[in-house]
Amino acid sequence: MTELQRPIYITTPLYYVNDELHIGHATTTVYADTLARFWRSCGRPVLLLTGSDEHGQKIHKAATAAGTTPRGFADRIVGKFNELWEKLDVQHDIFIRTTDPFHEAAVQKVFERLKAADLLYKSAYKALYCVECETNYTEKDLLDGACPVHKTKPQVVEEENYFFKLSAFTEKLQKHIESHPDCIVPEPRRNEILGKLREGLNDTSVTRVQFDWGVPLPWEPKHVIWVWTDALVNYISALGWPDNDHFPTDEFPGRARHQHATPPGNKPFEYWWPEAVHIVGKDILWHHSVIWWSELLGAGVQPPKQVFAHGWWQVEGDKMSKTLGNVIRPGDIADKYGRDALRYHILREGPQRGDSDWRHASFVTRYNADLANGLGNLVNRSLNMLNKYFDGEVPAECKFEHEKLEGLRQDLIGHVNDLSDRLLADVRAFDLNAALEQIWVLVRDSNAFVNEAAPFKLAKDPTRKQDLQASMHALCEVLHALAYALKPFLPDAAQRIADQLGIDLAERLPAALNWGRLLPGHKIGTPAPLFARLDEQANG
Ligand code: MSP
């Protein structure tokens, strides 16, 4: 099977329902949605999953504080998640909730398998637990006695619980990671995990008794299963594991979006799992590699193909926190500037590799430079000139008589014809910023081409008719390529360019992204500005 025929299963984390989503959550989701859209636009079978993590102490605490039940609380917040994903047009195929009964049943099955494999034992437990992370720490992990992620003092927990023999997996995981060089990307994150594995793994407590908001252990229901070992199972329970039941529509009423989610042969787990890719933030890479893969191996399931872990946003140089009052709400940004502007900022300035800083000034600068003056201006002036000089009809291709301009045209042709390969390479490497930079080199070169060829001057000179035709044909081809190239990244802008150009974006990449796709005489639609320039102060 070629790469584009192989089904790919892309997941976001399941977000906790203790609070509304912020820019960090939107970032993980936009990365996943963009990857999913890219592969879909290549005709590759894609399944995109997101959802909600609803069990555990953190949710229990938030619900109690709000004077409601965890279930009622979760329902309300899940409604808000869905509103946000709708607003951002995130095209997930599945929205799973960890309170979905089929999920709870799968978690119990995993635990039965761990028990049968003799990987669970009971032991007294004294640990430091950060409720915010829902994770145990040792004294050594803490920074000045506080959780390294949340900077809060962990709870001291003393109970008799079930332990999972995580220590049995140190070598297996080392071997797995060494023999699958791309299973954790980018490389520094993989080294981080290998480094931790060299220290050896400690067994970890995977049930709790002083608390009941979770999945009960089947053979001793006063124990509820640790929220992480519960939630991680979603990635396979959503596929109907272990019996391929519950998939997709009956258990996801109204939530399964794409037809191709139902695979041939109706064996969704076998179909989707081999190329499962988890998109997560660096804070939960440990859970998504070490904990999850050990749990899977213990239950007799192969680990997923890949985990991509991105960094974190700060805001104007500070940690983003409710206390500081600097939480960036993605819905507000989308309302004010449009969802493509939000996506663009996340994809260009976001923490795909290291950490990033959300700065309003750079948001405004990038928006004006790249979207309004760069892309918007190119599309608008090209189409207006086509209306003016060719009555809105794409002229036949021809060469420039002017040698230097012909050289520039050949450069544009080369760039357009190379673009799909370059985008594929960047997307494979999870470098969406680099992919957009490839597109923006074309935007900038094309704007430079307009300035250099100056069709508005050529139009006044009857001896330069051929050059005018060559320049306008070239610009139409560039816009055609841009609409296709931008489709996964800025879907609204791509659609608007396509409407204005009079095309429907129905063809697939990579073939659609080539020079010479427009027929002479093709009639364009009505030009309209794509992005209004922001006049606000960069710090406004
Ligand atoms: N419920 C768990 C995941 C379980 S998956 C089986 C969880 N949820 S979460 O609501 O805390 O969301 C975590 C995601 O949000 C991670 O990908 C994390 O990196 C991301 N972010 C949270 N704050 C962030 C920033 N400040 N910046 C970027 N992303 C951050 O963990």
Side-chain angles (χ1 to χ4, degrees):
M1 251 198 278
T2 64
E3 178 186 43
L4 296 184
Q5 290 166 336
R6 275 199 322 270
I8 181 166
Y9 173 38
I10 300 172
T11 68
T12 77
L14 301 196
Y15 304 113
Y16 288 126
V17 291
N18 64 315
D19 205 349
E20 285 180 40
L21 298 173
H22 57 57
I23 193 67
H25 308 110
T27 297
T28 318
T29 307
V30 164
Y31 290 154
D33 181 58
T34 304
L35 292 166
R37 285 175 183 264
F38 182 85
W39 291 120
R40 269 188 219 120
S41 69
C42 296
R44 187 171 184 183
V46 176
L47 187 73
L48 176 63
L49 167 139
T50 189
S52 52
D53 189 351
E54 305 189 5
H55 292 132
Q57 240 172 301
K58 176 160 156 153
I59 312 304
H60 192 264
K61 213 169 110 182
T64 312
T68 172
T69 60
R71 180 71 212 206
F73 189 78
D75 286 348
R76 191 174 63 78
I77 301 277
V78 163
K80 294 198 178 253
F81 285 12
N82 281 319
E83 272 168 34
L84 179 64
W85 301 146
E86 198 133 310
K87 182 177 280 189
L88 303 189
D89 195 19
V90 169
Q91 301 216 320
H92 50 279
D93 300 283
I94 294 175
F95 188 105
I96 185 169
R97 302 179 59 167
T98 54
T99 48
D100 283 331
F102 68 86
H103 168 76
E104 296 187 349
V107 173
Q108 292 186 323
K109 277 181 197 150
V110 166
F111 270 70
E112 266 155 7
R113 288 199 183 192
L114 297 181
K115 185 179 179 224
D118 197 21
L119 289 167
L120 297 176
Y121 62 92
K122 240 185 191 173
S123 167
Y125 157 63
K126 179 168 181 206
L128 301 162
Y129 193 76
C130 170
V131 176
E132 285 305 305
C133 300
E134 296 278 15
T135 298
N136 280 327
Y137 286 104
T138 61
E139 288 288 355
K140 193 163 82 51
D141 300 323
L142 303 183
L143 289 178
D144 295 329
C147 158
V149 183
H150 295 95
K151 319 278 184 258
T152 46
K153 242 184 154 22
Q155 279 181 356
V156 180
V157 177
E158 281 191 88
E159 294 175 358
E160 190 186 51
N161 283 332
Y162 277 90
F163 273 66
F164 174 47
K165 289 185 189 163
L166 196 59
S167 56
F169 292 91
T170 312
E171 271 182 34
K172 285 191 188 113
L173 291 185
Q174 277 169 329
K175 278 205 187 113
H176 179 83
I177 297 173
E178 266 147 21
S179 57
H180 297 85
D182 289 333
C183 67
I184 300 176
V185 282
E187 172 97 25
R189 307 262 184 233
R190 174 175 178 263
N191 295 338
E192 201 181 289
I193 295 295
L194 280 173
K196 284 196 184 168
L197 285 173
R198 274 194 288 276
E199 293 169 19
L201 294 173
N202 295 319
D203 294 350
T204 189
S205 148
V206 285
T207 66
R208 295 294 299 276
V209 286
Q210 280 174 15
F211 155 83
D212 66 359
W213 179 236
V215 180
L217 204 59
W219 61 92
E220 213 177 320
K222 76 167 182 167
H223 286 262
V224 295
I225 291 167
W226 176 38
V227 59
W228 271 101
T229 36
D230 153 1
L232 287 161
V233 173
N234 90 86
Y235 300 128
I236 57 172
S237 72
L239 301 178
W241 181 90
D243 307 316
N244 278 318
D245 51 6
H246 338 290
F247 186 89
T249 42
D250 33 342
E251 296 287 345
F252 301 113
R255 293 191 245 153
R257 211 184 262 256
H258 296 104
Q259 275 307 309
H260 62 241
T262 313
N266 213 15
K267 293 209 162 185
F269 178 73
E270 283 77 0
Y271 184 75
W272 294 111
W273 188 245
E275 195 131 340
V277 180
H278 300 320
I279 312 296
V280 302
K282 62 178 185 178
D283 51 316
I284 56 174
L285 172 59
W286 173 257
H287 307 81
H288 277 83
S289 48
V290 174
I291 306 277
W292 178 220
W293 298 356
S294 306
E295 191 179 359
L296 283 169
L297 290 169
V301 180
Q302 262 303 100
K305 174 153 185 230
Q306 231 171 11
V307 181
F308 169 76
H310 63 75
W312 267 39
W313 284 108
Q314 289 198 315
V315 176
E316 312 285 346
D318 276 323
K319 182 179 158 66
M320 180 167 65
S321 79
K322 270 187 154 177
T323 332
L324 291 177
N326 62 355
V327 175
I328 304 283
R329 298 284 173 205
D332 295 348
I333 305 283
D335 285 340
K336 196 160 174 198
Y337 304 101
R339 58 193 180 197
D340 272 3
L342 172 73
R343 282 177 89 98
Y344 191 68
H345 199 68
I346 289 175
L347 294 171
R348 292 311 301 259
E349 298 277 335
Q352 255 173 88
R353 289 292 181 271
D355 292 345
S356 293
D357 198 9
W358 180 283
R359 290 192 177 269
H360 187 68
S362 58
F363 182 93
V364 174
T365 307
R366 243 198 202 284
Y367 175 104
N368 279 337
D370 292 4
L371 298 179
N373 296 348
L375 178 66
N377 196 25
L378 174 68
V379 174
N380 204 241
R381 61 181 173 159
S382 302
L383 294 179
N384 281 328
M385 288 191 290
L386 193 78
N387 270 343
K388 213 160 157 190
Y389 310 136
F390 289 90
D391 224 5
E393 283 183 14
V394 177
E397 178 166 13
C398 66
K399 291 188 175 181
F400 279 94
E401 286 179 319
H402 186 283
E403 206 178 313
K404 185 174 165 214
L405 291 177
E406 181 55 21
L408 294 180
R409 191 182 83 95
Q410 290 300 334
D411 292 346
L412 293 180
I413 297 176
H415 196 132
V416 165
N417 287 338
D418 284 350
L419 195 52
S420 50
D421 280 347
R422 294 186 192 187
L423 294 181
L424 272 163
D426 289 333
V427 168
R428 271 187 212 113
F430 296 93
D431 200 341
L432 303 177
N433 179 23
L436 279 170
E437 181 54 23
Q438 307 278 4
I439 300 175
W440 252 265
V441 171
L442 179 60
V443 170
R444 287 191 289 266
D445 286 357
S446 304
N447 269 324
F449 172 81
V450 175
N451 297 342
E452 190 76 25
F456 33 89
K457 286 190 191 149
L458 299 177
K460 292 185 188 140
D461 182 348
T463 67
R464 305 289 304 274
K465 272 203 160 119
Q466 181 173 334
D467 283 358
L468 177 66
Q469 182 175 337
S471 55
M472 292 316 302
H473 172 270
L475 286 169
C476 291
E477 286 291 344
V478 165
L479 299 193
H480 179 275
L482 284 173
Y484 271 102
L486 286 169
K487 189 176 155 189
F489 303 93
L490 304 182
D492 290 346
Q495 191 54 51
R496 293 181 66 206
I497 297 172
D499 292 344
Q500 296 182 26
L501 194 59
I503 60 170
D504 62 9
L505 295 183
E507 288 178 67
R508 285 179 181 177
L509 298 189
L513 234 185
N514 270 310
W515 193 267
R517 310 290 294 186
L518 284 167
L519 295 175
H522 171 90
K523 185 95 183 129
I524 63 163
T526 315
L530 284 181
F531 295 96
R533 221 190 120 79
L534 300 176
D535 284 328
E536 66 187 276
Q537 288 298 311
N539 61 357

